[in-house]
Amino acid sequence: MNIVVGITGGIAAYKAPELVRLLVKAGHSVRCAATEHALQFTTRATLETVSANPLYCDLFASGRTEHISLKDWADLLVVAPATANIIGKVAGGIADDALSTLLLAMPPQHVLMAPAMNSQMWAHPAVQRNIETLRSWGIAMVSPADGELACGTTGPGRMSEPEEIAACIASLSTFHSPLSTQRWLVTAGPTYERIDSVRFIGNYSSGKMGFALAEALAEQGAEVELVTGPTSLSTLRSPFSAHIHETRVESAREMYAAATKVFPHCHGAILSAAVADYRPAETADHKLKKNGSEGMHLELVQNPDILATLGGMKQEEQTLVGFALETDHELENAQGKLERKNLDYIVLNSLRDKGAGFGVDTNKVTILGRDGSRKESPLLSKREVARMIIEAVTL
Ligand SMILES: Cc1cc2nc3c(=O)[nH]c(=O)nc-3n(C[C@H](O)[C@H](O)[C@H](O)COP(=O)(O)O)c2cc1C
């Protein structure tokens, strides 16, 4: 890729040459663009040497519209570090130097920023509002890390390490993948089925697998409709969050309504949510009291089957992927579900595998295809498993 690395006047600018070096090593062509203040922290000579290209710093030096020719040349503009100042300038549409002018000329979807600043600056409502604005335009963010800051304090605000930014760029380079023109539905998390105003029937699903799938699709450039049950997870820290549209639901019926609404507009769907099969027949709108008897009967009625419904709605060109969590006769049961519900793939989780299934950060799966294909993963992080699933079902 052709990458412009933009450097602004934060202390972390001293790490920018290392990022440039890593990108050049990874085979990218790199040009640097710096603000005047950035050159208080790093030097023209260093940036020109590591990038093997002249530095773009003065808007008028060349007598040409270099901000436009650089914009045409670049596949990606990475601003690392991004000061509170540059973030505010872009959010406010200000172009008063070489880098800010280039930033306004670039399509936001081709910009990645790695903010770095003192924790109080980072927490300031103006900065947070500006970050949200930039995200909403499609600018990807590598959120700052917690750690020691140059001003002697600790807290959030420290620029992510060059290796982490380079890894993020490596996954962004897949924006040219076929998925960049596609929309996918992902369901995640548990559902809660209300008994009364304070109690529900739920399950142990954390949503981690579904969120990892949504991120893996978004990092391949897809637009993702993430329909999630109650979970403490958030996609906001993801650099790809602008491509993930979250709908939060509580019950199986709400998830059914949200999923069936968006599915017709999607190229495919991966349903990883742990949806309750049954719900209480009646829900009290107040807290049920002990009635003095030893037992209590709860009548349950069946929830709509989201997977089977989408299987019935599915058009020829759509791909539908289900999950199965089996405790016995795993392969036969998963294969049966695949056929009965008209799926293209089913991902089998086994609760027997240590480190796989609910709540944990790792998983081990078998992906069965309608065409008889079968792929098994070793025990991997849910992120890696998600990437493997996406590769298998989008080929
Ligand atoms: C020693 C020093 C360190 C600084 N570090 C940061 C920083 O990490 N992040 C930030 O947003 N501003 C930092 N600033 C403030 C910026 O340099 C200042 O806002 C400047 O106007 C940014 O200009 P630029 O965005 O055009 O490079 C620092 C200033 C000084 C003097």
Tab-separated table of all heavy atoms in Angstrom, residues 66-107:
chain	number	residue	atom	x	y	z
A	66	GLU	N	0.390	19.921	-3.471
A	66	GLU	CA	0.890	18.613	-3.045
A	66	GLU	C	-0.129	17.872	-2.182
A	66	GLU	O	-0.150	16.635	-2.159
A	66	GLU	CB	2.211	18.771	-2.305
A	66	GLU	CG	3.052	17.514	-2.434
A	66	GLU	CD	4.486	17.686	-1.985
A	66	GLU	OE1	4.940	18.830	-1.842
A	66	GLU	OE2	5.126	16.649	-1.773
A	67	HIS	N	-0.993	18.624	-1.465
A	67	HIS	CA	-1.990	17.930	-0.632
A	67	HIS	C	-2.930	17.099	-1.509
A	67	HIS	O	-3.405	16.047	-1.086
A	67	HIS	CB	-2.775	18.929	0.234
A	67	HIS	CG	-3.504	19.984	-0.518
A	67	HIS	ND1	-2.868	21.028	-1.152
A	67	HIS	CD2	-4.827	20.151	-0.757
A	67	HIS	CE1	-3.771	21.806	-1.733
A	67	HIS	NE2	-4.970	21.289	-1.505
A	68	ILE	N	-3.159	17.558	-2.750
A	68	ILE	CA	-4.048	16.798	-3.641
A	68	ILE	C	-3.286	15.624	-4.277
A	68	ILE	O	-3.783	14.501	-4.328
A	68	ILE	CB	-4.650	17.710	-4.745
A	68	ILE	CG1	-5.437	18.867	-4.107
A	68	ILE	CG2	-5.529	16.913	-5.704
A	68	ILE	CD1	-6.625	18.466	-3.247
A	69	SER	N	-2.040	15.872	-4.708
A	69	SER	CA	-1.304	14.758	-5.327
A	69	SER	C	-0.999	13.673	-4.284
A	69	SER	O	-1.072	12.475	-4.588
A	69	SER	CB	-0.036	15.216	-6.046
A	69	SER	OG	0.692	16.085	-5.237
A	70	LEU	N	-0.723	14.074	-3.043
A	70	LEU	CA	-0.487	13.062	-1.993
A	70	LEU	C	-1.771	12.279	-1.702
A	70	LEU	O	-1.745	11.072	-1.480
A	70	LEU	CB	-0.022	13.737	-0.697
A	70	LEU	CG	1.463	13.701	-0.365
A	70	LEU	CD1	1.683	14.204	1.048
A	70	LEU	CD2	2.046	12.297	-0.516
A	71	LYS	N	-2.900	12.987	-1.699
A	71	LYS	CA	-4.203	12.337	-1.459
A	71	LYS	C	-4.459	11.288	-2.564
A	71	LYS	O	-4.901	10.177	-2.287
A	71	LYS	CB	-5.297	13.417	-1.476
A	71	LYS	CG	-6.700	12.967	-1.246
A	71	LYS	CD	-7.567	12.769	-2.443
A	71	LYS	CE	-7.750	13.863	-3.428
A	71	LYS	NZ	-8.549	13.506	-4.587
A	72	ASP	N	-4.127	11.639	-3.810
A	72	ASP	CA	-4.340	10.688	-4.912
A	72	ASP	C	-3.394	9.499	-4.806
A	72	ASP	O	-3.741	8.376	-5.159
A	72	ASP	CB	-4.147	11.386	-6.269
A	72	ASP	CG	-5.253	12.405	-6.527
A	72	ASP	OD1	-6.329	12.270	-5.907
A	72	ASP	OD2	-5.028	13.337	-7.327
A	73	TRP	N	-2.189	9.761	-4.301
A	73	TRP	CA	-1.174	8.698	-4.203
A	73	TRP	C	-1.509	7.721	-3.064
A	73	TRP	O	-1.349	6.508	-3.186
A	73	TRP	CB	0.190	9.363	-3.963
A	73	TRP	CG	1.323	8.418	-3.713
A	73	TRP	CD1	2.064	7.762	-4.660
A	73	TRP	CD2	1.854	8.009	-2.432
A	73	TRP	NE1	3.022	6.988	-4.050
A	73	TRP	CE2	2.912	7.113	-2.686
A	73	TRP	CE3	1.538	8.322	-1.113
A	73	TRP	CZ2	3.656	6.526	-1.670
A	73	TRP	CZ3	2.281	7.737	-0.100
A	73	TRP	CH2	3.329	6.846	-0.376
A	74	ALA	N	-2.014	8.250	-1.942
A	74	ALA	CA	-2.119	7.449	-0.710
A	74	ALA	C	-3.346	6.529	-0.693
A	74	ALA	O	-4.444	6.948	-1.065
A	74	ALA	CB	-2.178	8.369	0.501
A	75	ASP	N	-3.131	5.294	-0.258
A	75	ASP	CA	-4.271	4.408	0.032
A	75	ASP	C	-4.745	4.649	1.455
A	75	ASP	O	-5.891	4.399	1.792
A	75	ASP	CB	-3.847	2.932	-0.085
A	75	ASP	CG	-3.367	2.599	-1.479
A	75	ASP	OD1	-4.124	2.859	-2.420
A	75	ASP	OD2	-2.226	2.106	-1.615
A	76	LEU	N	-3.819	5.110	2.296
A	76	LEU	CA	-4.133	5.261	3.714
A	76	LEU	C	-3.309	6.402	4.303
A	76	LEU	O	-2.128	6.548	3.972
A	76	LEU	CB	-3.778	3.951	4.433
A	76	LEU	CG	-4.097	3.850	5.919
A	76	LEU	CD1	-5.609	3.815	6.139
A	76	LEU	CD2	-3.470	2.579	6.506
A	77	LEU	N	-3.944	7.196	5.151
A	77	LEU	CA	-3.227	8.233	5.913
A	77	LEU	C	-3.325	7.879	7.391
A	77	LEU	O	-4.424	7.791	7.949
A	77	LEU	CB	-3.868	9.601	5.634
A	77	LEU	CG	-3.456	10.790	6.514
A	77	LEU	CD1	-1.949	10.958	6.574
A	77	LEU	CD2	-4.078	12.084	5.987
A	78	VAL	N	-2.162	7.625	7.992
A	78	VAL	CA	-2.125	7.249	9.405
A	78	VAL	C	-1.569	8.417	10.201
A	78	VAL	O	-0.443	8.845	9.924
A	78	VAL	CB	-1.168	6.051	9.621
A	78	VAL	CG1	-1.168	5.613	11.080
A	78	VAL	CG2	-1.534	4.906	8.717
A	79	VAL	N	-2.322	8.944	11.143
A	79	VAL	CA	-1.805	10.048	11.959
A	79	VAL	C	-1.372	9.478	13.310
A	79	VAL	O	-2.203	9.045	14.109
A	79	VAL	CB	-2.857	11.159	12.152
A	79	VAL	CG1	-2.210	12.368	12.838
A	79	VAL	CG2	-3.435	11.592	10.808
A	80	ALA	N	-0.071	9.451	13.534
A	80	ALA	CA	0.468	8.856	14.766
A	80	ALA	C	1.726	9.601	15.198
A	80	ALA	O	2.714	9.549	14.477
A	80	ALA	CB	0.794	7.379	14.537
A	81	PRO	N	1.704	10.297	16.292
A	81	PRO	CA	0.568	10.481	17.185
A	81	PRO	C	-0.391	11.539	16.634
A	81	PRO	O	0.017	12.398	15.859
A	81	PRO	CB	1.222	11.001	18.479
A	81	PRO	CG	2.442	11.733	17.998
A	81	PRO	CD	2.925	10.991	16.798
A	82	ALA	N	-1.650	11.450	17.074
A	82	ALA	CA	-2.635	12.475	16.738
A	82	ALA	C	-2.867	13.312	17.998
A	82	ALA	O	-3.327	12.791	19.017
A	82	ALA	CB	-3.931	11.831	16.275
A	83	THR	N	-2.519	14.588	17.942
A	83	THR	CA	-2.734	15.473	19.100
A	83	THR	C	-4.210	15.826	19.238
A	83	THR	O	-4.991	15.696	18.284
A	83	THR	CB	-1.966	16.802	18.919
A	83	THR	OG1	-2.328	17.348	17.646
A	83	THR	CG2	-0.479	16.621	19.012
A	84	ALA	N	-4.555	16.324	20.432
A	84	ALA	CA	-5.917	16.829	20.645
A	84	ALA	C	-6.201	17.917	19.614
A	84	ALA	O	-7.311	18.034	19.091
A	84	ALA	CB	-6.023	17.402	22.055
A	85	ASN	N	-5.152	18.669	19.283
A	85	ASN	CA	-5.287	19.780	18.347
A	85	ASN	C	-5.695	19.310	16.948
A	85	ASN	O	-6.655	19.821	16.372
A	85	ASN	CB	-3.950	20.532	18.306
A	85	ASN	CG	-3.980	21.723	17.388
A	85	ASN	OD1	-4.872	22.564	17.498
A	85	ASN	ND2	-3.023	21.804	16.471
A	86	ILE	N	-5.001	18.283	16.414
A	86	ILE	CA	-5.315	17.857	15.033
A	86	ILE	C	-6.699	17.194	15.001
A	86	ILE	O	-7.456	17.352	14.048
A	86	ILE	CB	-4.213	16.931	14.440
A	86	ILE	CG1	-4.353	16.847	12.900
A	86	ILE	CG2	-4.280	15.523	14.977
A	86	ILE	CD1	-3.787	18.012	12.179
A	87	ILE	N	-7.016	16.485	16.081
A	87	ILE	CA	-8.330	15.827	16.156
A	87	ILE	C	-9.427	16.895	16.114
A	87	ILE	O	-10.401	16.792	15.368
A	87	ILE	CB	-8.414	14.962	17.435
A	87	ILE	CG1	-7.474	13.752	17.299
A	87	ILE	CG2	-9.844	14.508	17.728
A	87	ILE	CD1	-7.183	13.025	18.594
A	88	GLY	N	-9.213	17.966	16.894
A	88	GLY	CA	-10.184	19.057	16.926
A	88	GLY	C	-10.266	19.783	15.594
A	88	GLY	O	-11.347	20.149	15.142
A	89	LYS	N	-9.090	19.943	14.955
A	89	LYS	CA	-9.101	20.668	13.683
A	89	LYS	C	-9.888	19.895	12.623
A	89	LYS	O	-10.714	20.472	11.909
A	89	LYS	CB	-7.664	20.917	13.206
A	89	LYS	CG	-6.986	22.044	13.965
A	89	LYS	CD	-5.924	22.768	13.170
A	89	LYS	CE	-4.629	22.053	13.072
A	89	LYS	NZ	-3.515	22.880	12.572
A	90	VAL	N	-9.657	18.590	12.534
A	90	VAL	CA	-10.376	17.806	11.513
A	90	VAL	C	-11.869	17.793	11.829
A	90	VAL	O	-12.703	18.008	10.942
A	90	VAL	CB	-9.811	16.364	11.413
A	90	VAL	CG1	-10.594	15.554	10.388
A	90	VAL	CG2	-8.347	16.394	11.034
A	91	ALA	N	-12.209	17.595	13.112
A	91	ALA	CA	-13.634	17.576	13.489
A	91	ALA	C	-14.298	18.910	13.157
A	91	ALA	O	-15.484	18.964	12.831
A	91	ALA	CB	-13.779	17.255	14.976
A	92	GLY	N	-13.508	20.002	13.234
A	92	GLY	CA	-14.072	21.325	12.955
A	92	GLY	C	-13.881	21.770	11.516
A	92	GLY	O	-14.234	22.900	11.166
A	93	GLY	N	-13.285	20.915	10.684
A	93	GLY	CA	-13.117	21.253	9.265
A	93	GLY	C	-12.057	22.315	9.019
A	93	GLY	O	-12.119	23.048	8.038
A	94	ILE	N	-11.061	22.375	9.898
A	94	ILE	CA	-10.011	23.399	9.744
A	94	ILE	C	-8.817	22.829	8.968
A	94	ILE	O	-8.348	21.723	9.258
A	94	ILE	CB	-9.564	23.928	11.126
A	94	ILE	CG1	-10.736	24.688	11.765
A	94	ILE	CG2	-8.337	24.829	11.015
A	94	ILE	CD1	-10.540	25.034	13.214
A	95	ALA	N	-8.337	23.591	8.013
A	95	ALA	CA	-7.195	23.167	7.195
A	95	ALA	C	-6.220	24.335	7.132
A	95	ALA	O	-6.251	25.113	6.184
A	95	ALA	CB	-7.682	22.776	5.803
A	96	ASP	N	-5.348	24.477	8.149
A	96	ASP	CA	-4.479	25.653	8.185
A	96	ASP	C	-2.997	25.317	8.098
A	96	ASP	O	-2.146	26.166	8.341
A	96	ASP	CB	-4.771	26.499	9.438
A	96	ASP	CG	-4.432	25.764	10.726
A	96	ASP	OD1	-4.098	24.556	10.650
A	96	ASP	OD2	-4.483	26.387	11.802
A	97	ASP	N	-2.692	24.043	7.808
A	97	ASP	CA	-1.294	23.690	7.527
A	97	ASP	C	-1.298	22.474	6.597
A	97	ASP	O	-2.371	22.006	6.174
A	97	ASP	CB	-0.499	23.435	8.824
A	97	ASP	CG	-1.010	22.243	9.629
A	97	ASP	OD1	-1.950	21.568	9.156
A	97	ASP	OD2	-0.479	21.992	10.721
A	98	ALA	N	-0.087	21.971	6.279
A	98	ALA	CA	0.004	20.908	5.272
A	98	ALA	C	-0.792	19.668	5.686
A	98	ALA	O	-1.608	19.142	4.910
A	98	ALA	CB	1.476	20.552	5.060
A	99	LEU	N	-0.580	19.186	6.930
A	99	LEU	CA	-1.214	17.930	7.326
A	99	LEU	C	-2.733	18.068	7.460
A	99	LEU	O	-3.488	17.204	6.993
A	99	LEU	CB	-0.596	17.410	8.641
A	99	LEU	CG	-1.182	16.099	9.151
A	99	LEU	CD1	-1.040	14.969	8.126
A	99	LEU	CD2	-0.536	15.678	10.477
A	100	SER	N	-3.200	19.152	8.087
A	100	SER	CA	-4.656	19.288	8.260
A	100	SER	C	-5.352	19.476	6.904
A	100	SER	O	-6.468	18.999	6.698
A	100	SER	CB	-5.003	20.408	9.238
A	100	SER	OG	-4.393	21.616	8.861
A	101	THR	N	-4.667	20.105	5.960
A	101	THR	CA	-5.259	20.277	4.618
A	101	THR	C	-5.349	18.915	3.921
A	101	THR	O	-6.371	18.566	3.326
A	101	THR	CB	-4.411	21.269	3.784
A	101	THR	OG1	-4.263	22.465	4.544
A	101	THR	CG2	-5.086	21.589	2.468
A	102	LEU	N	-4.266	18.137	4.041
A	102	LEU	CA	-4.288	16.779	3.463
A	102	LEU	C	-5.394	15.943	4.105
A	102	LEU	O	-6.115	15.206	3.423
A	102	LEU	CB	-2.911	16.122	3.677
A	102	LEU	CG	-2.775	14.665	3.257
A	102	LEU	CD1	-3.026	14.488	1.768
A	102	LEU	CD2	-1.379	14.132	3.609
A	103	LEU	N	-5.553	16.087	5.426
A	103	LEU	CA	-6.583	15.306	6.132
A	103	LEU	C	-7.990	15.638	5.631
A	103	LEU	O	-8.843	14.756	5.526
A	103	LEU	CB	-6.495	15.557	7.641
A	103	LEU	CG	-5.547	14.616	8.372
A	103	LEU	CD1	-5.113	15.207	9.698
A	103	LEU	CD2	-6.188	13.249	8.590
A	104	LEU	N	-8.222	16.887	5.312
A	104	LEU	CA	-9.563	17.241	4.817
A	104	LEU	C	-9.758	16.790	3.370
A	104	LEU	O	-10.887	16.620	2.912
A	104	LEU	CB	-9.811	18.744	4.932
A	104	LEU	CG	-10.094	19.298	6.321
A	104	LEU	CD1	-10.841	20.617	6.237
A	104	LEU	CD2	-10.896	18.349	7.207
A	105	ALA	N	-8.639	16.603	2.642
A	105	ALA	CA	-8.763	16.146	1.251
A	105	ALA	C	-8.976	14.636	1.171
A	105	ALA	O	-9.542	14.129	0.203
A	105	ALA	CB	-7.506	16.543	0.469
A	106	MET	N	-8.539	13.895	2.200
A	106	MET	CA	-8.635	12.412	2.172
A	106	MET	C	-10.050	11.952	2.506
A	106	MET	O	-10.677	12.493	3.425
A	106	MET	CB	-7.747	11.803	3.265
A	106	MET	CG	-6.282	11.689	3.007
A	106	MET	SD	-5.776	10.702	1.611
A	106	MET	CE	-5.890	9.029	2.251
A	107	PRO	N	-10.564	10.901	1.834
A	107	PRO	CA	-11.842	10.333	2.283
A	107	PRO	C	-11.659	9.770	3.699
A	107	PRO	O	-10.660	9.090	3.966
A	107	PRO	CB	-12.109	9.201	1.288
A	107	PRO	CG	-11.063	9.301	0.238
A	107	PRO	CD	-9.963	10.190	0.711
